[in-house]
Amino acid sequence: MDAPYAKLEQLESGVGRVLAHNPSAFTYYGTQTYLLGTREVAVVDPGPDLPEHLEALEAAIGGRPVAAIMCTHTHRDHSPAARPLAGATGAAIIGCAPLALETVGPRADASFDGDYRADRELADGEAIAVDGKPVTAVATPGHTSNHLCFAYGDALFTGDHVMGWSTTVVVPPDGDMAAYMASLDKLRQRGDRIYYPAHGAPVTNPRQYVRGLIGHRMQREKQILTLVAEQPRTISDIVANAYPALDPRLVPAAGGSVFAHLLDLEKRALVEREGDSWTAAS
Ligand SMILES: [Zn+2]
């Protein structure tokens, strides 16, 4: 596939997409920035601060009023272009909160955009109008603690909460498996027609797709419980057994997800740890 970098693709009336040139093992072909609206637009996940991408976004906006620049969360592949785009268009940054810092040690690692600031933060259920139609925040913590999806008509812009090409990375301390599962359940109870994720193809069977993601995580949890019931195991031992033939670049992320599962299981008193070693609760 020739990825359509720096081009506006009109996916349906009121939904345009511009792909940023930041492909990686975590971003697939890159971050997909969405333009919502027709006469005026909202920009969802402006993406990385790359001159070519900002130029493409300005061309796609084509001088239309920009109602808001909206970020689903503040990973570096999503939010850094918000500030320069706000400068170029005069639009406000409205959407997710900056990442909250814990009292003991930062929750953020190098993948977070620490410079992100919102002119207005949207809480769950709060909306702004674009072209007279609401864009509503749906709080979906899990991938990150500040993650929002945005509902526009019967389409849901899912950021990294639900992706179209791979399962979502949930890495502690900011990533939280129990929150992620609750946020998947929240989507399962909605009636969205289509998901537009920040990475990968649109999801045209949302209910079924989300059920599949929930099933996948429950399967993974069961697998981890079985492994630690056999013998005490470290995270790398669990990854080696649970993710055979994994792309080596993804091993740290898999370790993070296993850790997120273990912390959740520990809270539920199903596993115990001693040093680096995890075992089934006695
Ligand atoms: Zn992310």
Side-chain angles (χ1 to χ4, degrees):
M1 164 181 160
D2 250 346
Y5 293 117
K7 270 190 212 130
L8 173 65
E9 300 170 276
Q10 201 62 41
L11 303 180
E12 60 175 285
S13 170
V15 180
R17 177 175 72 184
V18 180
L19 176 64
H21 199 196
N22 60 335
S24 80
F26 294 97
T27 60
Y28 198 42
Y29 287 99
T31 304
Q32 299 175 124
T33 300
Y34 292 100
L35 267 60
L36 283 50
T38 306
R39 288 181 306 275
E40 66 170 344
V41 294
V43 178
V44 170
D45 279 341
D49 185 2
L50 300 173
E52 169 203 84
H53 187 56
L54 279 159
E55 258 169 52
L57 289 180
E58 285 191 61
I61 291 163
R64 289 176 288 178
V66 178
I69 298 165
M70 311 182 81
C71 298
T72 58
H73 64 300
T74 48
H75 275 148
R76 281 189 194 284
D77 55 324
H78 290 256
S79 54
R83 191 52 60 192
L85 191 63
T89 60
I93 299 171
I94 302 173
C96 73
L99 196 74
L101 298 178
E102 270 190 332
T103 43
V104 261
R107 292 176 76 97
D109 60 25
S111 62
F112 279 91
D113 170 14
D115 298 328
Y116 172 83
R117 299 287 176 274
D119 297 301
R120 184 180 158 204
E121 294 167 20
L122 293 182
D124 185 42
E126 284 189 330
I128 61 154
V130 177
D131 258 355
K133 236 169 99 176
V135 180
T136 308
V138 180
T140 44
H143 172 65
T144 60
S145 57
N146 62 352
H147 197 288
L148 301 177
C149 295
F150 297 114
Y152 186 61
D154 56 5
L156 189 70
F157 295 80
T158 53
D160 283 2
H161 177 49
V162 172
M163 303 200 288
W165 73 290
S166 144
T167 54
T168 290
V169 172
V170 179
V171 176
D174 192 59
D176 183 302
M177 192 57 73
Y180 170 72
M181 293 298 281
S183 293
L184 283 180
D185 200 56
K186 187 172 187 173
L187 293 205
R188 194 180 53 80
Q189 293 176 47
R190 297 174 50 89
D192 301 300
R193 168 183 55 92
I194 190 167
Y195 292 166
Y196 289 112
H199 309 282
V203 173
T204 54
N205 56 343
R207 270 237 170 82
Q208 196 187 337
Y209 195 81
V210 167
R211 269 203 305 272
L213 291 176
I214 292 170
H216 169 78
R217 295 294 170 158
M218 287 170 66
Q219 214 34 56
R220 186 68 78 204
E221 179 183 290
K222 220 167 97 185
Q223 196 179 15
I224 292 170
L225 277 171
T226 305
L227 284 167
V228 298
E230 287 167 8
Q231 61 183 81
R233 291 181 190 270
T234 61
I235 287 174
S236 45
D237 181 21
I238 295 170
V239 169
N241 280 281
Y243 298 77
L246 183 66
D247 178 339
R249 294 171 301 173
L250 297 179
V251 166
S257 277
V258 166
F259 186 38
H261 273 295
L262 288 168
L263 289 178
D264 179 34
L265 291 167
E266 187 183 41
K267 264 192 216 142
R268 289 152 57 199
L270 293 168
V271 301
E272 291 167 356
R273 67 172 136 177
E274 206 182 302
D276 286 344
S277 202
W278 296 79
T279 158
S282 43

